[in-house]
Amino acid sequence: MITWIVLVLVALMLGAAALVLLFDNLIAAIAAASVVSLLLSLLFALLAAPDVALTEAAVGAGLSGAVLAMGLRRLGLIDLGKKEESDA
């Protein structure tokens, strides 16, 4: 039974990793990368490694996603909804 759960998690991880490469929207790609990390943390939890699972969830999904989003904002590649009004 656990083998099927692991296979499903690995398939979902591969699908999310492929979506990271296919998305044009950079925020969506960061979200898909975070999904890969969250699924990996579930896999670690199933394999009886809760300390590694918590670390992967915190660092892989949380911290790295935030750092990537802040880096994209700093580079000017994303805009968080602030639209400038043009004087016509």
Side-chain angles (χ1 to χ4, degrees), residues 14-30 32-33 36:
L14 288 173
L19 287 177
V20 170
L21 298 174
L22 295 176
F23 279 142
D24 289 332
N25 187 354
L26 296 176
I27 295 295
I30 291 173
V36 172

Side-chain angles (χ1 to χ4, degrees), residues 71-83:
L72 290 176
R73 184 174 180 209
R74 175 90 181 207
L75 290 172
L77 297 175
I78 60 171
D79 188 18
L80 298 178
K82 295 180 183 178
K83 295 183 180 179

Side-chain angles (χ1 to χ4, degrees), residues 30-88:
I30 291 173
S34 294
V35 168
V36 172
S37 293
L38 285 175
L39 290 172
L40 184 60
S41 68
L42 283 175
L43 185 62
F44 284 139
L46 284 174
L47 296 175
D51 53 343
V52 180
L54 285 173
T55 304
E56 177 63 30
V59 174
L63 188 62
S64 66
V67 168
L68 284 171
M70 287 188 298
L72 290 176
R73 184 174 180 209
R74 175 90 181 207
L75 290 172
L77 297 175
I78 60 171
D79 188 18
L80 298 178
K82 295 180 183 178
K83 295 183 180 179
E84 296 180 12
E85 296 180 15
S86 61
D87 294 328

